[in-house]
Every structure is written in C-alpha cells, then in structure tokens.
C-alpha cells in the first residue's frame, strides 16, 4: 500500500507552536491581571499593551499549530485493487475500486476519474513535487492499462 500525505507538516513543530502559544497566552493573561489589579497604563508605547499583544500572539500560535495538526490527516493511498483518499474538500474517507474507473484524465494539478455513475476530481495543488510525480506515474500507468483493455 502506497500512501501520500496531502499536507506535510512536522508534528513536533506544530506541538511546539501550540506549547509556545500557551506559554505566551498565560504570560499575557497574568500580566493583564496584574495590570488590572493596579492601574492599567493606557499610554500606547509605554503602557500595558504588551499584555494584550501577548494574548493575541498566543492565540495566533495556538491556532496555527492546531490547523497544522488537523491538516496532517489528509491523504491519498492505493494498493493493487483500491484507491482510498481523505481530502479537505469532502472530509470523508472515500474508496474507489480500480475496476469501477472507466477513464482517467490527468491535468497539471488534478486528476479526473470517470466512474460508472459519477465523476471524481482529485485536487493535487498542495502536494510536493515528488509526491505529485508519484501519483501521476501511478495514474499514467493505470490509464495505459485502461486503453489496452
């Protein structure tokens, strides 16, 4: 079974982003609580606005790390008889038997599969070059076998 990830992100880097974001967020919350118990200095450059900026920055880091982790689940995989994929468009695992495919149209960044009763389009915009070549090579060989049959 060959599996190609749609998005490639380092899980460790994503978790570091989340951890760093939590630390910055907590720092901002503690600083703003301290500023509120005394008197909040509203002067822009020398005031207590760093706490607000730390909270915003922490939320941004946590959001980026979480988005990277959720995008890591999308893939395209195949074996000798079946194609399986989980894409961001549908967000559901789909399975296609190679025997169901009637025709294949390979474009620059997408592959159109014509089945008995429907048409599937695989969007390959987010793949790296080597993964794109691997998928295209598989479908080119499959297209040749369809034409010979």
């Amino acid at each position: 079974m060959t599996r190609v990830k749609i998005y490639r992100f380092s899980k460790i880097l994503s978790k570091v982003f989340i951890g760093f974001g939590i630390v910055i967020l907590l720092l901002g919350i503690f600083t703003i609580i301290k500023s509120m118990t005394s008197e909040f200095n509203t002067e822009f450059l020398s005031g207590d606005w760093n706490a607000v900026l730390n909270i915003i920055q922490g939320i941004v880091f946590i959001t980026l790390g979480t988005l990277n982790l959720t995008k890591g689940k999308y893939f395209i995989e195949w074996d000798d008889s079946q194609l399986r994929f989980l894409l961001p468009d549908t967000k559901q695992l789909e399975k296609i038997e190679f025997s169901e495919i009637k025709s294949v149209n390979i474009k620059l960044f997408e592959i159109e599969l014509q089945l008995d009763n429907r048409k599937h389009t695989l969007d390959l915009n987010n793949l790296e070059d080597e993964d794109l070549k691997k998928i295209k090579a598989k479908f080119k060989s499959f297209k040749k076998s369809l034409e010979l049959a």
Side-chain angles (χ1 to χ4, degrees):
M1 180 179 314
T2 306
R3 183 178 213 156
V4 174
K5 293 272 191 185
I6 300 294
Y7 298 100
R8 290 210 176 176
F9 295 109
S10 171
K11 283 187 178 184
I12 295 171
L13 187 61
S14 297
K15 290 178 182 180
V16 167
F17 266 47
I18 292 172
F20 189 62
I22 289 171
V23 169
I24 291 175
L25 181 67
L26 290 175
L27 178 70
I29 290 172
F30 289 139
T31 308
I32 207 160
I33 289 172
K34 182 179 175 253
S35 298
M36 292 292 190
T37 56
S38 60
E39 186 175 324
F40 191 82
N41 186 357
T42 57
E43 291 180 29
F44 184 65
L45 292 177
S46 63
D48 293 325
W49 290 106
N50 283 340
V52 176
L53 294 176
N54 281 344
I55 290 172
I56 293 170
Q57 190 176 21
I59 291 171
V60 167
F61 272 107
I62 292 170
T63 304
L64 287 176
T66 305
L67 285 175
N68 285 348
L69 284 178
T70 57
K71 284 184 177 182
K73 67 181 179 180
Y74 299 117
F75 65 90
I76 298 173
E77 70 179 4
W78 63 88
D79 56 14
D80 293 335
S81 63
Q82 194 177 53
L83 171 71
R84 289 172 295 282
F85 53 91
L86 179 64
L87 298 175
D89 301 338
T90 58
K91 295 183 178 144
Q92 293 179 351
L93 179 64
E94 298 191 37
K95 298 177 184 178
I96 298 174
E97 296 290 330
F98 283 126
S99 60
E100 294 177 6
I101 299 174
K102 300 301 178 197
S103 69
V104 177
N105 186 12
I106 301 171
K107 295 183 180 178
L108 185 61
F109 288 111
E110 65 181 33
I111 296 175
E112 293 177 353
L113 304 173
Q114 183 66 43
L115 296 126
D116 290 329
N117 54 1
R118 63 185 194 264
K119 184 178 181 181
H120 265 290
T121 302
L122 301 177
D123 184 15
L124 307 175
N125 277 324
N126 299 315
L127 290 173
E128 293 181 2
D129 287 341
E130 63 188 49
D131 294 333
L132 184 63
K133 288 177 185 176
K134 187 187 301 184
I135 290 175
K136 281 187 172 184
K138 170 64 180 171
F139 280 102
K140 281 180 184 175
S141 67
F142 182 73
K143 185 176 182 177
K144 284 184 182 177
S145 68
L146 278 176
E147 291 170 353
L148 292 177

